[in-house]
């Protein structure tokens, strides 16, 4: 039997999987964002999913369990591990052009402030 390794995707918690809008509270993780569970269920068919967050790991794991996502996520980390993709609400894709990158940086706005 041939074993096929799934590519890893690191997904940020705040602003991607939950309803975070910039009001950080270290002791509270906002509610799950509509459609997030279905999104992860679909991704899980093809990819290994790891949660990437700077939040307290135990708090993040409890949030995953509460929202019945714990079977879809293989790990919670704050380390940028080797991965196929990184999904984050505060990121910019570098396309090889530094001037364009500078423009993207200077004009960056998170999705929930647009």
């Amino acid at each position: 039997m041939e074993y096929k390794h799934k590519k890893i995707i690191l997904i940020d918690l705040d602003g991607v999987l939950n309803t975070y809008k910039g009001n950080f509270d270290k002791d509270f993780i906002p509610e799950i964002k509509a459609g997030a569970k279905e999104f992860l269920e679909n991704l899980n068919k093809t990819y290994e999913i790891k949660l990437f967050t700077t939040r307290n790991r135990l708090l993040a794991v409890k949030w995953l369990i509460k929202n019945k996502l714990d079977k879809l996520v293989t790990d919670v980390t704050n380390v940028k591990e080797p991965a196929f993709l990184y999904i984050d609400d505060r990121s910019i894709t570098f396309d090889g052009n530094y001037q364009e990158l500078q423009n993207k940086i200077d004009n960056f706005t998170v999705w929930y402030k647009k």
Side-chain angles (χ1 to χ4, degrees):
M1 177 182 219
E2 183 180 326
Y3 173 74
K4 186 172 180 182
H5 179 72
K6 289 182 175 181
K7 292 179 179 178
I8 297 170
I9 296 181
L10 263 65
I11 301 180
D12 182 40
L13 175 59
D14 287 327
V16 178
L17 297 179
N18 66 24
T19 58
Y20 177 79
K21 300 278 177 143
N23 296 325
F24 184 79
D25 178 344
K26 71 177 183 69
D27 298 318
F28 173 76
I29 299 177
E31 296 300 314
I32 188 169
K33 186 169 176 52
K37 184 175 183 181
E38 295 78 12
F39 172 68
L40 292 180
E41 288 171 339
N42 191 46
L43 274 184
N44 191 52
K45 295 174 188 173
T46 309
Y47 301 97
E48 178 182 347
I49 302 165
K50 293 186 179 188
L51 188 68
F52 183 66
T53 184
T54 58
R55 287 190 174 273
N56 175 284
R57 188 176 191 282
L58 182 58
L59 186 65
V61 169
K62 287 179 180 180
W63 185 89
L64 288 170
I65 293 168
K66 173 186 171 194
N67 290 286
K68 298 180 173 60
L69 302 175
D70 53 305
K71 303 289 188 238
L72 303 172
V73 175
T74 62
D75 195 12
V76 176
T77 183
N78 64 357
V79 175
K80 184 178 176 184
E81 299 178 5
F84 176 64
L85 286 173
Y86 305 93
I87 301 174
D88 197 317
D89 61 316
R90 292 183 173 267
S91 63
I92 296 174
T93 300
F94 177 59
D95 64 3
N97 181 315
Y98 289 112
Q99 185 57 52
E100 279 299 312
L101 181 60
Q102 183 69 51
N103 290 337
K104 289 178 185 179
I105 292 168
D106 292 343
N107 296 300
F108 181 80
T109 304
V110 288
W111 69 267
Y112 51 82
K113 290 189 178 182
K114 290 183 180 180

